Amino acid sequence: MSAAPLPCLRPECKVAQTGKCDLKHDPVELCPNYGKTAQPSPAASGEEQPTPRRTAPAAVGISSGDTMEWEDLEAFSRGHRMRTVSLIGEPRSGKTTLIAAIYASLCKGAIGNRVFVGSRTLVGFAKRHHLALLNSERRSPKTPRTSSDDPTAFFHLALRPNDGGPISQLIVSDRSGEAYQAARQDTALVKNLTELRLAERACFVLNAAKLTNPERHAAYSRQFKQMIYAFRDNGAFRDNVAIEVLATKIDTTKKPDRAAESAAILDEYEAQIVDEFQVAGIEFGFHRVCALPKSHLETGYLGLAETVARWTTPQQLPDVVQPAVGDAFRQIDRLLAKW
Ligand SMILES: Nc1nc2c(ncn2[C@@H]2O[C@H](COP(=O)(O)OP(=O)(O)O)[C@@H](O)[C@H]2O)c(=O)[nH]1
Ligand SMILES: [Mg+2]
């Protein structure tokens, strides 16, 4: 037989025998201890209590401002119509410096007629720019090497034409030149260059310093074209991709002792490459930039505004407006016909 429950929580209270509350509550039911039994503690009962489930508040993502990776870009693409450019080139061709130069130019004001509206990757830009230009104790500026282990980095810029046109959400990808070099040599690796499928515009960065160097010209000019062929012919790009060759380090070709010779080499190579790669239906261009005029200061920064303008030219979208119906039956159609 189980013992009757104690009518009071306080063991010294005699309410069970006398019917009177030790604490003088009358009626006894008013006593907060009356009719309650002490709960055995979990430790005393030996039972393991389930730990109460705590639901964490939903995490709020705070952008670090560094370059975007694939997951960030996927999230970004769900909310924005992007203009995508992939910078492609062998190591040390000048890809990262070009990005740093565009950022540096925007820090001073509009670039050509494109005004800065915003960026999700300002910290990423600032790091590249800082490392490209501000490393102390160096006799000349130097961009740190993009490591082959680094994932593809995506930079973002929101730009608006200063005549008030629509804002372009520009995304530029940068990755280590080693990955591109390896894929040129072994085309089985082309499929790993996933950022290229995303690109509306493939920008092959041509190192003009190497091209115009008599000792390196032959090998380099061949390898450069080989890279375009390897990627284009192995399905690296989407069907309607625009391809451009961007000859950078133009300042190195302007040194007075070899300027005429270098200009002739560049012109000839441009004519050759345009002839080979220009196909009907695909935009193809050859352009020149100087992103860091350290070899010939007089050249100055060159071609940056044109480059950004090209990358953010408003797209010609198909017209989806219904043609107006003449002499329409419905009032709404007649209204539309007036416009
Ligand atoms: N003279 C000159 N040097 C440049 C120019 N652009 C880049 N460089 C230098 O070329 C080297 C490689 O540049 P980087 O941007 O790191 O090449 P990446 O490997 O293609 O990203 C660095 O030392 C840069 O300072 C340029 O327009 N002119
Ligand atoms: Mg780099």
Side-chain angles (χ1 to χ4, degrees), residues 268-307:
E268 195 199 323
Y269 195 62
E270 173 176 352
Q272 227 183 69
I273 216 164
V274 169
D275 190 42
E276 261 178 73
F277 290 100
Q278 197 150 46
V279 238
I282 288 196
E283 187 189 330
F284 185 88
F286 189 104
H287 310 277
R288 301 173 193 214
V289 286
C290 173
L292 195 59
K294 61 181 179 181
S295 298
H296 186 249
L297 294 178
E298 292 81 353
T299 307
Y301 291 90
L302 196 94
L304 297 180
E306 293 81 351
T307 301

Side-chain angles (χ1 to χ4, degrees), residues 41-293:
S41 74
S45 66
E47 275 174 37
E48 220 175 88
Q49 294 292 309
T51 33
R53 278 247 228 132
R54 275 210 239 141
T55 43
V60 178
I62 300 175
S63 164
S64 69
D66 215 328
T67 49
M68 294 195 226
E69 292 186 16
W70 270 107
E71 307 81 66
D72 313 308
L73 192 68
E74 269 163 19
F76 183 78
S77 70
R78 285 196 283 274
H80 300 86
R81 183 181 197 95
M82 306 184 298
R83 311 298 312 275
T84 44
V85 176
S86 274
L87 291 184
I88 309 164
E90 53 146 41
R92 315 301 289 168
S93 51
K95 301 182 292 298
T96 309
T97 307
L98 175 66
I99 289 172
I102 291 171
Y103 164 76
S105 180
L106 282 169
C107 286
K108 293 183 198 139
I111 183 163
N113 80 337
R114 295 299 194 270
V115 185
F116 176 80
V117 177
S119 169
R120 296 268 179 122
T121 56
L122 277 180
V123 175
F125 276 118
K127 279 187 192 168
R128 293 346 180 249
H129 180 232
H130 168 78
L131 294 164
L133 304 181
L134 298 180
N135 269 358
S136 57
E137 309 299 330
R138 284 193 173 151
R139 294 183 58 211
S140 64
K142 198 167 189 294
T143 320
R145 214 155 144 255
T146 314
S147 157
S148 57
D149 297 332
D150 290 347
T152 308
F154 296 95
F155 293 83
H156 166 245
L157 277 178
L159 300 171
R160 187 205 298 275
N162 57 10
D163 60 9
I167 296 176
S168 299
Q169 304 287 346
L170 177 65
I171 298 287
V172 182
S173 75
D174 183 25
R175 85 138 77 186
S176 97
E178 276 93 350
Y180 293 126
Q181 208 168 36
R184 170 178 67 79
Q185 287 157 354
D186 175 3
T187 51
L189 300 175
V190 170
K191 64 176 186 318
N192 301 340
L193 308 172
T194 40
E195 71 280 8
L196 302 188
R197 294 270 328 149
L198 183 83
E200 279 167 21
R201 181 173 287 270
C203 174
F204 286 88
V205 178
L206 173 75
N207 184 343
K210 257 189 179 180
L211 186 84
T212 56
N213 179 338
E215 282 153 36
R216 310 179 88 169
H217 174 79
Y220 183 66
S221 58
R222 183 171 34 79
Q223 285 165 3
F224 186 80
K225 282 200 242 167
Q226 219 176 47
M227 190 179 277
I228 307 181
Y229 276 122
F231 295 178
R232 192 198 61 179
D233 300 345
N234 286 280
F237 305 121
R238 50 164 92 172
D239 290 344
N240 55 349
V241 68
I243 298 182
E244 71 178 36
V245 171
L246 197 56
T248 187
K249 309 194 190 181
I250 288 296
D251 55 318
T252 60
T253 70
K254 303 270 185 188
K255 286 187 209 151
D257 52 331
R258 294 203 64 249
E261 199 182 325
S262 299
I265 296 175
L266 259 174
D267 290 346
E268 195 199 323
Y269 195 62
E270 173 176 352
Q272 227 183 69
I273 216 164
V274 169
D275 190 42
E276 261 178 73
F277 290 100
Q278 197 150 46
V279 238
I282 288 196
E283 187 189 330
F284 185 88
F286 189 104
H287 310 277
R288 301 173 193 214
V289 286
C290 173
L292 195 59

